[in-house]
Amino acid sequence: MLSIDVCRRILQRPLAGYRDVVEHTAAFAADTGISKPMQRKLHEMLRLALAVRDADGDDLVDELVLDDIPNYGRSVRAILQRAEMLRPLPHPREPERPRRSRTSRATRHVWAPRPMTPRSCQQCGSWFAAKIKVTCEPCSTFARKNRNSPAPAAACDRCHRDDLPLADGYCRGCRWHVASHGPGDIARFGTQLWLGSPVPAPASLRHSDVAPPAVHRSVSEHLMAPGQERLFEFLRDWRPVLELSRLDLPALTESAERLLADLDSVMKQEMWSQAPVTKNRNTLTVLVSWLGADAPLLESDIRTLVDNRPKRFSGRRVTQFLEARGLLVPDAEFRRDAQQKRLEAELAALPATIAQELSVWIRAVRGEGKWKHTGRTYLSIARYWHVLDPVLKGWLADGIESLREITQDDVKRAIATRKGTPARSIHIVLRNVFRALRQEGVIFHDPTRGLIFAGINKTPPSVPSDRLAGVLSHAQNDFQRLVMVLVCVHALSGTDMRHLLLADLDLSRERLIVRRPGKRHIIYLDELTYRCASAWLRERHRRWPVTTNPHLLINRWTAVDTTRSPIGTTFTAIFRPTGLTMPTLRQDRIRDEAFEVDDPLHLMRLFGISSQTAMRYISAAHPERTAKLPR
């Protein structure tokens, strides 16, 4: 097929017999009713056909030339036949396939496809057979693979041709020639012709990292020796390494190659998707090429490398892979509890005296004070801090410099700023703080001593039935559908679902065990829950067939990190499209059951709740039966 530039030059040449062709084109237009713009396009195609005739030194246009006409080949053939300027093929051509008609499929005729003609690839010059294409299949694939590469040079470094897709500065034709004849041909200009598709290219061209010149790579000078101790604590700067290609990295040692092969086998066995495979292999390749695989690698090096180029590298799965093989030095600072680091940052922003007093409170609550006991987690302390922080800001605004200055009136005024449950929360948190400080000898008088806060009897909310309709239809996959059923039907909380184990689900006996502190609650599966749980097990096995995470509900991150379960925000986001929260739906389910059955023991057995909670729901559903008689 002729290129656009060639067509433009041809259209400017004087051609013999062109006036006769124009007259026959006008007669053809009168018979077929084509428009003026269409006639002008036909004139251009006819000039191309006549130009090829003149170039061949012939008087007639060969019918085989019409296969290379870009457009309107059938109309051009008809006009040339009218002008008696067309030489037919020596063998009759099979009838062309007409346009699709609106007749039924049963009445259509089966026409032969357009014949394939031999031609030369415009990029590599190889000979191949095709109907319309101007480049062979390997060149088309090569262009697609390198379409997102940086802007190529002005020309190929070897053949100096322009407007060609390049890889490492060379076009596919030069890469093919050098890969077949050796690096010694890199300085030669010529390229041997060959057959293109369907003849496959050499196997060496199927990898994008094959470069024509043979580069000798030496082993890195920074290999870590086993047992070598660190003299100084510092972070490596990986920024100069980020711009290097894989061929510019140091050569891999035998242990590094074995480690990469082990990673490949793990990725294949666990069926990772393409993006994690590429990122994690790039990360481990850069690390072991510079530092080796004989000594454990630092987790801080992995994090520094990934933070500089997150789109190219990924470190979470590499960290787990190295840690499972004893080749990782954990970063103690990074693995500290996130809530602990948050509390330390909050304390650093406070005055020194109050910060020191609250540090004593945190140590006492953690069980590290004078009285040894089982301490609370940093997450529990962070929840207390969420209530304490506004009170502290108010006291600091009033000029308080130490918690020793707080009196019982200050505590009462702090509680009076809120009502209901928030006020009770302030009372509980302040009582916990000052009791701990009194226990540790920081203060001499507890301002919360003797302060009593009345109990709150809050009625559980009720959700209108029109809002409940269609909640399950918002689920987008089996994971979300099972979570919604566990909350809306069996009234499980987010903590309950995070602690569910795969071994707790027994489909053969149609039951699910919910593990809670000090007790177990058994759920007998109904038909809907059984279907959703069965569908989730099939999906879980399909996506992560070899995961060792013991939890029932996992996602793409926890499937690899076997020590964790999905965080609470994973479940919260599922209910966001419904316009309702997970606790509201859970409470509405228990309240609805209390309306049907006014027996608190039934609620305790069905949902595993305490007697006080069961009576609270019974009182909300049947207030007339629990009213107190006057004395």
Side-chain angles (χ1 to χ4, degrees), residues 23-62:
E23 295 177 359
H24 287 284
T25 304
F28 178 78
D31 296 341
T32 57
I34 59 178
S35 61
K36 291 291 184 181
M38 179 68 176
Q39 294 182 38
R40 289 194 295 270
K41 294 179 181 179
L42 283 176
H43 292 164
E44 295 178 358
M45 298 301 105
L46 288 168
R47 289 184 66 89
L48 291 177
L50 295 177
V52 176
R53 178 206 62 181
D54 293 347
D56 294 337
D58 202 348
D59 296 331
L60 301 178
V61 178
D62 195 343

Side-chain angles (χ1 to χ4, degrees), residues 341-401:
K341 292 189 284 188
R342 175 194 167 194
L343 289 172
E344 292 178 355
E346 296 283 353
L347 290 177
L350 296 176
T353 304
I354 295 181
Q356 191 273 335
E357 293 169 347
L358 292 177
S359 299
V360 174
W361 164 64
I362 293 176
R363 287 198 301 270
V365 175
R366 288 283 297 168
E368 302 171 0
K370 292 182 179 179
W371 296 354
K372 301 295 181 181
H373 60 88
T374 303
R376 292 180 177 270
T377 62
Y378 281 106
L379 178 60
S380 178
I381 299 175
R383 291 172 179 170
Y384 275 31
W385 185 271
H386 180 71
V387 178
L388 180 63
D389 186 52
V391 178
L392 283 177
K393 291 179 179 178
W395 287 345
L396 291 175
D398 295 338
I400 299 297
E401 298 180 356

Side-chain angles (χ1 to χ4, degrees), residues 459-603:
T459 303
S462 178
V463 181
S465 57
D466 58 339
R467 298 192 64 187
L468 286 175
V471 170
L472 196 60
S473 62
H474 290 85
Q476 300 179 358
N477 49 50
D478 296 326
F479 177 85
Q480 296 184 4
R481 193 171 294 107
L482 178 59
V483 170
M484 285 186 174
V485 169
L486 292 177
V487 173
C488 299
V489 177
H490 302 285
L492 294 188
S493 64
T495 304
D496 293 336
M497 291 187 292
R498 284 197 299 271
H499 294 161
L500 289 176
L501 301 179
L502 185 61
D504 296 335
L505 179 60
D506 190 352
L507 292 180
S508 60
R509 303 176 65 179
E510 299 183 358
R511 71 177 190 177
L512 174 65
I513 300 176
V514 181
R515 302 178 185 272
R516 291 168 178 164
K519 60 181 179 180
R520 297 193 312 169
H521 172 56
I522 299 178
I523 295 178
Y524 295 96
L525 306 181
D526 57 290
E527 183 179 357
L528 175 61
T529 310
Y530 184 91
R531 290 202 311 268
C532 294
S534 179
W536 164 243
L537 285 183
R538 290 193 298 269
E539 178 67 14
R540 184 183 191 273
H541 179 72
R542 183 188 67 82
R543 296 185 64 182
W544 307 289
V546 295
T547 181
T548 57
N549 194 315
H551 295 91
L552 174 63
L553 300 173
I554 61 176
N555 53 22
R556 59 175 181 168
W557 299 116
T558 56
V560 183
D561 189 356
T562 58
T563 61
R564 298 185 181 182
S565 60
I567 60 177
T569 54
T570 304
F571 302 126
T572 304
I574 295 176
F575 294 90
R576 191 171 294 122
T578 65
L580 301 170
T581 62
M582 184 167 56
T584 301
L585 291 172
R586 176 179 178 272
Q587 294 173 4
D588 183 79
R589 172 68 183 97
I590 303 176
R591 180 183 176 121
D592 181 72
E593 191 68 24
F595 274 112
E596 298 295 331
V597 181
D598 57 351
D599 183 6
L601 295 178
H602 174 75
L603 299 182

